[in-house]
Amino acid sequence: MAAKPKPVPKPKPRPFLTRAMSALYRFSRMALIGVPLRLAARIRKIEVIQPAHLYPAHISHNRRQNGVLAEFERKAATTGKT
Amino acid sequence: MTDSDPPPGSPRGAPAYRAMFWLYPAETDAAGNPLVPAGPPGFGLSVPINAGPQGAGVAPAGADEGAEGYDEALEWETPEGGGDDDGEAANPRDMDLSDGQPDDGFHRAGDQEAEEGVAVRKPVVILFSDDSTLFFALRLRDVLREAEDPPPIDLVWYLGETALSYRQMALLLPEGPAYSVGPKTLTSMVRSPDIAAIITSRVYKPLGSAIRPVMFRLKANRPCVIAFQGGLDFFPENGYRHRRYCDAIFITPQSSIETFHSLRIGDDASWQEVGFGHPSFLHPDGAPADLAQRRDIFFYTQALSPSTRRGRLHVLRALASMARANPDRTVWIKLRHLPNENQKHLHLEKYDYPGLMAQMTDLPENLKITACTMDESLETAALGITCTSTAAIDVLRAGIPTMVYLDFVDNYRDPLVEPMREVFEGSKVITSLEDLLHLRHHDPDPEWLADMLCPRDLGQRLLDAVARFETRPFQLTEAPK
């Protein structure tokens, strides 16, 4: 009697997040539902509304760097050469 | 030959496809050898792709598959002296890959020498598709040429993911590639018994798929597939995974070899070696002799960093101040590519420096833009500055003072800053804005340098790995027919 063939294993389901993101991408390509999704994605990328710019540590970092540069420029302007 | 037969040098295929080759037959030289693939203008290349002294000892292959947007219908081959007895050119679709001598249309290594009874030397193939991979290919070619008894080296253009402008191709590789391949031909090349090694800094999808099966990797008489990292790899684990089925993997820094083994990413079902090195990561020979006389400062741009417009304007302001404070020097902004060039590149630049400079007023005259090659810039550079570019390694390799500036405005929005800081931790080349403006550079830490930059015998070590691969134990040969 011939040996029973081994059952073909079912493919492993993709992780939930991967499936959710794929679905989101698929929806975003649709004619009607896709418009607000694509709009939201574009708004999310606008630089000036990024919350990271509002963190105190980040504000002080930018201020410090601009301060160093402004000081160097001021000195260079007064002395001609630093 | 009947009226219905295609002319010599034309491929088999659909009638409409064949008709194109009636209209546009292959250009041939006086001896009847094809110079350019047959086909309509606009497809493939308009210049002989095999012109030039590329790959000594290896005759041109002419395995072009059309330009980007590869289409199966456009696949044609006009190998020199190739084709069937009836004059038809070999078509890669007709290949029999299992018989050890595929009629795939590639010119075999040293065909001419074999005919003359001279020992045949298999060529080493280096793949490229964009500017980064072309830089890699050119550097590796130089490294291999320095090895003892170097083999013929073919720079092969992979068309599946091409992102090169004509300006870049003409500037970096005026002699042209040895030949070009599309995804299907690349898969065939991996099985060719006439190529010693296929070396790449990016494991293209067809290549990765072809080398994945264990039985394939155990196969005898196939090229050794060697993968390098693209450059500075900020997320190396992903890169290791992409390269895990390659026969040899060269990574940097040296300490990461241990990490590679500890992660158990490598494949234990077949022969594999992990080595240290990269053609751009060679240990410096020492500072250039004329360094003290040099006056040029180069800022090496990166497509992604700084990621915001404000960050880039801050860097530009800093460079302008530096130029103003040092009128006897020239501050060059070295562009990786021109604006609107390389729009299909993996890393697309959002705010280009020429565009930002056009919006700025009162820029000093000694702040200039250049699109020269990295090697050209290193010939005159007295100091190299970058944010998160691999260029930092190039400058270190040349023995030129290097500054890595990561404290620019909005750096917290840049995902590459922290990985760059991690890679250069302990190097002493990460520079504050004050030091940058006053041109106060520090010598790199020798220990860090020895870990990051490999010895200059990389080419020889690579060829030794290929030799070990060819004599590895447990190789599968084809069953007799």
Side-chain angles (χ1 to χ4, degrees), chain A residues 44-47 50 52-54 58-59 61-62 64-66 68-70 72-73 75-76 80-82, chain B residues 308 310 314 317-318 321-322 324-328 350 405 407-413 433-434 437-438:
Chain A
R44 202 187 145 272
K45 284 184 189 169
I46 296 174
E47 194 55 50
Q50 296 302 320
H53 293 307
L54 303 173
H58 295 166
I59 293 170
H61 165 81
N62 284 355
R64 201 165 45 245
Q65 296 305 316
N66 281 328
V68 170
L69 186 53
F72 180 82
E73 283 173 343
K75 273 188 188 170
K81 189 163 165 62
T82 53
Chain B
T308 66
R310 198 162 59 166
H314 169 79
R317 254 183 74 195
S321 301
M322 202 189 289
R324 232 174 266 124
N326 299 281
D328 55 332
K350 209 170 167 187
Y405 176 52
D407 291 334
F408 49 84
V409 164
D410 289 352
N411 69 346
Y412 49 85
R413 287 282 299 147
L433 180 57
E434 266 201 320
L437 294 169
H438 291 97

Side-chain angles (χ1 to χ4, degrees), chain B residues 68 129-130 158-163 202-206 344 346:
Chain B
E68 57 186 278
S129 61
D130 57 17
Y158 175 60
L159 299 170
E161 294 179 29
T162 185
R202 265 174 71 186
V203 181
Y204 301 106
K205 207 172 175 184
K344 287 180 182 172
L346 201 60

